[in-house]
Amino acid sequence: MGLRKRITGFLHIGEEWLFTNPKYVLSMILGVTLLWATQLPQLRVFTDFADLLPQNHPYIQTYNRIKENFGGANIIVMAIEVDKGTIFNDETLLLVHQATLGIDDVPSVNHNLVSSLTHRTARKNYLTADGNFASDRYYDPLKPQHTAEQLESMRKDVMANPQIYGLLVSPNLKAALIKAQLTDGAVDYTKTFAAIQKVRELVGKPGHKIYVTGNPMLTGWVYTYLPQIVTILAYSLALLATLLIVYFRRFYGVALPLLGIALSSIWGLGFMAAFGYNLEPLSLPIPFLIAARATSHGVQLVARYYEELAITHNGKKAARNALDALFRPGSLAIIVDAVGIAVMVLGAAPFNWKLGVSAGFWGFSVIFTVHFMVPLALTVLPQPKKIENKNQGMRAFLGAAMAATGGSYRGALTILLVSAGLVVVGAMLGSRVKIGDSEPGSPILHRNHDFNVSTAAINELFPGSEELHIVARTEDKGGIKRPEVMRAMEAFQREMLNDPAVGGAKSLPTVVRVVNRLTHSDDPRWMQIPDNRDEVGGLMFAYMASNPIPGALKEFINPDENEANMVFFYKDHKAETIDRAIAVATEAARKVSADVPGLTMELGGGIIGVTAAVNDALHTDHMLIIPLVMLIAFVLVMTYYQSVHAGWLMVLPMLFSTIMTYAYMGVNGININVNTVPVIAVGVGVGIDYAVYFMDRIREEMAKVGDICKASINAVATTGSAVSFTAATLIAGVIMWVFMSDLRFQSDAALLLSFMLVVNAIAAMLIVPAWCVVFKPRFVVASHFDADGVLVEGLR
C-alpha cells in the first residue's frame, strides 16, 4: 500500500508539472517530432531475404555456407512450353537460348549457377575416335539452323543424359527449363523483376507458353502492389476521418486523434529510418494497426474530455480530469502494448528483431504523441462553445444492453459459462492450425495469380521447382572420392526417392556412373561406381577435362572435394511435405552415416531446407512469443494494481480472444507462417487496451455508486461507447484490405485481424464486467477516492 501511494504521489507531482507547463511540453513533443521527421527521407521499403531466415538455425548455417557454390533458395525458374510437338525445333530452341541469355543478364544473378539446355555448361560427353574424352554443347548459338536429322540426334542425346532429361527438359519433351540463382544480399527485387518480365515478353511468341516462378518473382509481384497498398492506406485514413466526424461532430474530436496518428507515425517511421530498419512490404498493415491504436487512445481522451466538460463547464479542468481518469489505464495499456510488441525481438529471424524494436518504440511513443499531447493541447486550445455531451443515445443503448445481460449476477454468470464453452470448442478447432503453408504455391497471392499458375504448371511438367539440398561431408579432403562415400550417397538418394513427394534428384554419383559407362564404349554394364578412389577421381577429372568451361563439377562438389551436394526436387513446400522430407532425410542420414566413418549428411539448403528451418523456428517463436505477451501483461497489470486478480482479469479476455483466433484459423485453413505470427502477436495485444479501460472505469464507478452491478452498467455505457467506436474504426480501416487488396495474404490477414478486433472488443465489454459482477475482486469493490481525489483501494 505504501509503495502504491508513493507511486501515486510521484505521478501526481508529474501531472502537476505537465499542466503547469503545457506549452513547454507540447513544444518538446513538436521538436522531437521534427527531429524524427528529418530521418524520413532515408526510410526504405524493401525485402531482405536473409532477414526472414533464422540465422542461428543449423539448416540456415549450412545454407549460408553452400549457397555460393551449390545454390541458394533465391532462385528463378522459367519454363518455355510448346503448344504442339516438342521443343526440338529451331524456333523453340532459339527462344530457350534467348531466355537463357536474358536470365543470365538479370541483376544479382550468380553467373556460375545458371543452367538450361542451351547454356554453355549443358554438354554432351563422348569418346573420340582416338579414345579421348570430349564434350560438345547441345545447342550452338552460332549454328541456330538444324536439319531434321540433327534435331532428332539432339533429342536422343538429351534423353540419354539424366542430368538434362527430366531436369532441364520435361519428360514429355514439350518444355525446357531455365534456372538461375540470385546472390543473396542487397537484391534490387524491383529491377530484377522488371528484367525477368522483359525476358518473358521477349520470348513470348505464338505457340509457346512462358511460366516463371521462384522467390524473386514472388517478391517482385508483391512490390508491384505497393502503389495499391499506399492507396488503401490513404483510403483507410480518409475513412477514419469520416468516422471521427460522424462520432464526435466536433473539430477537436476529429483533429486531435488524427494529429496523434501523424505524430506517432513520424516518431515510429523516423526511428526505423534513423536505425536503418527497412519496411517489409507484407508487414505494412502492422504499422497501420499501431497507428490506428494510437487513435484509440486519442478517442478515449477526447471522449472523456467532452464528458467532463459537460460536468465542469471548464475546458482546462475537463482536460485535466480526463488525464486524471485515463492516465493510469491508458499508460498501462500503452506500456503493455509496446512491451508485447517488443517481445518479437525474441524471434529467431532478424526481421523479428527489427519489427520488435521499431514497432515497440512506435507503440511506446504513443504516451508522448497522444496520451500527453491530447489533454495538453485541449488545455491550451480555446474552450468549445457547445459543452453538452453528445452520443447519449449510444450510451443509453449500451447501458440498457448491459443491464439486460451482464448487469445482474445471473446474466453475468451466463456470460462466463457461455465464454467457457466457447473456449473449449475453440481449443478443439484451434488444434487444427499447423506451422507452415497449407497449399502449393504461395498463399500471399490468389490461387489464379500468374505466379501460382506458373508454379503449378512447372511442377506438373518437371520433377518440381522446390529444391532440397543435402550436403555429404567428409572429415578428410578428397574424401568424397572414396567409393564407400559414393555408395552411401547413392543409398541416401534411394531412401529419399522412396518418398512419393520427391519428383527427382541430382547428385555426383550419377555423373560418375555415366562417365564410367562412356569410357567403356558406352557399355551399360559399366554404369557403376569404381572400387577405388583413384578411379573415381579419374572419372571426375575426365568429366572436367572434357568441358572447356571451368568448374564443370562446381554444382556437385567443392574445391577441397570433402563436400558434395545432392539436390532433391519437390512439387510444393506445404507443411506436411516439408515435415516428411526432413523426417526421411534425417533417418536416411542416420543410416548411411553409421556405416561410413567420417561421413555426415547435413541439411539443408534450397527452398525446402530454408522453409524447414523457418517453420522450425516459427514453432519455437510461436510457443514463446504469444504466451510471453500474456505473461508480461499479467505481471505489469498485477504490479501496477498490486493485485494478482487484476493481472488475471486482464489476461482473461486476451486468452479468450486468442483461443477464438486460433479457432478461426483452424476453420479457415490458415496456418502459422512468417507473415501471420506478427499479425497474431500485434492483434492479441489489442484486447489489453479495451480491458484496461473497462476495468479502471468499473473501479471508478464503484467508488461513486458502491454497487458492482450498477458500476459495471455505467462503465459499459460510458467507456463502452468509446471502445465500440474505436473498435469499429479499427475494423473499418482493416476491412478495406479485404475488398481493395489484390494480395491474398493481406485480404486473409485483414479478415483475421477484423475477427480478432471484434472478439477483443466483445471479450473486454462482456467478460471483464461479468467477472467483476460474479467474483467481486477486492481491488475493484474496495476502491474509493481519498482526500486528494485519488482513486485508491482499501477501507474508506
Side-chain angles (χ1 to χ4, degrees), residues 472 474 479-496 507-510 512-513 516 525-536 539 564 566 568 588-589 591-593 595-596 599 601:
T474 61
I480 294 299
K481 294 184 291 187
R482 289 157 49 195
E484 63 270 26
V485 171
M486 284 283 173
R487 294 191 181 97
M489 291 170 63
E490 284 195 317
F492 181 90
Q493 182 171 312
R494 283 193 299 271
E495 292 283 337
M496 294 293 292
S507 65
L508 181 59
T510 304
V512 172
R513 282 179 175 272
N516 198 16
R525 292 175 298 178
W526 284 95
M527 194 170 179
Q528 56 185 275
I529 302 295
D531 292 329
N532 65 77
R533 65 187 296 167
D534 290 336
E535 285 189 46
V536 173
L539 293 174
M566 292 179 285
F568 300 91
K591 285 182 180 179
V592 302
S593 299
D595 297 332
V596 182
L599 173 66
M601 298 289 182

Side-chain angles (χ1 to χ4, degrees), residues 5-23:
K5 219 168 170 41
R6 285 197 298 273
I7 294 174
T8 301
F10 174 77
L11 294 176
H12 187 72
I13 293 172
E15 183 187 352
E16 285 285 348
W17 185 84
L18 284 175
F19 281 95
T20 303
N21 306 280
K23 292 182 180 179

Side-chain angles (χ1 to χ4, degrees), residues 290-334:
I290 296 172
R293 283 161 74 174
T295 308
S296 172
H297 296 289
V299 167
Q300 291 282 353
L301 285 162
V302 177
R304 186 60 181 257
Y305 167 77
Y306 283 125
E307 186 180 324
E308 295 292 335
L309 183 63
I311 298 171
T312 64
H313 295 187
N314 183 303
K316 292 184 177 180
K317 180 66 174 173
R320 179 158 185 175
N321 286 353
L323 185 62
D324 266 345
L326 298 181
F327 176 77
R328 284 167 293 183
S331 60
L332 176 61
I334 291 169

Side-chain angles (χ1 to χ4, degrees), residues 198-398:
K198 186 176 180 180
V199 174
R200 188 175 188 177
E201 183 180 350
L202 172 69
V203 299
K205 303 299 182 184
H208 298 81
K209 296 185 181 71
I210 314 299
Y211 308 108
V212 192
T213 188
N215 183 70
M217 286 300 295
L218 175 60
T219 306
W221 278 117
V222 171
Y223 274 36
T224 64
Y225 294 104
L226 281 177
Q228 183 188 70
I229 292 173
V230 173
T231 300
I232 296 172
L233 289 172
Y235 276 114
S236 298
L237 188 61
L239 177 61
L240 175 60
T242 302
L243 292 174
L244 286 169
I245 292 171
V246 171
Y247 180 74
F248 281 107
R249 300 187 296 280
R250 293 178 174 183
F251 178 74
Y252 293 165
V254 177
L256 291 178
L258 291 179
L259 179 60
I261 280 186
L263 295 180
S264 67
S265 297
I266 291 172
W267 282 43
L269 295 174
F271 178 88
M272 295 183 71
F275 285 85
Y277 295 158
N278 58 295
L279 259 178
E280 167 66 42
L282 284 177
S283 69
L284 282 176
I286 294 175
F288 166 76
L289 189 62
I290 296 172
R293 283 161 74 174
T295 308
S296 172
H297 296 289
V299 167
Q300 291 282 353
L301 285 162
V302 177
R304 186 60 181 257
Y305 167 77
Y306 283 125
E307 186 180 324
E308 295 292 335
L309 183 63
I311 298 171
T312 64
H313 295 187
N314 183 303
K316 292 184 177 180
K317 180 66 174 173
R320 179 158 185 175
N321 286 353
L323 185 62
D324 266 345
L326 298 181
F327 176 77
R328 284 167 293 183
S331 60
L332 176 61
I334 291 169
I335 291 170
V336 173
D337 280 349
V339 176
I341 296 171
V343 169
M344 290 294 297
V345 301
L346 298 177
F351 166 75
N352 296 109
W353 170 267
K354 292 180 179 180
L355 181 63
V357 171
S358 56
F361 172 83
W362 192 337
F364 184 75
S365 72
V366 173
I367 285 184
F368 304 100
T369 58
V370 175
H371 213 55
F372 289 161
M373 183 276 294
V374 170
L376 293 178
L378 288 169
T379 301
V380 300
L381 289 170
Q383 178 178 315
K385 294 180 180 179
K386 296 181 179 180
I387 59 175
E388 73 276 5
N389 194 9
K390 297 187 177 182
N391 296 316
Q392 284 300 116
M394 173 61 73
R395 297 185 179 198
F397 169 78
L398 291 173

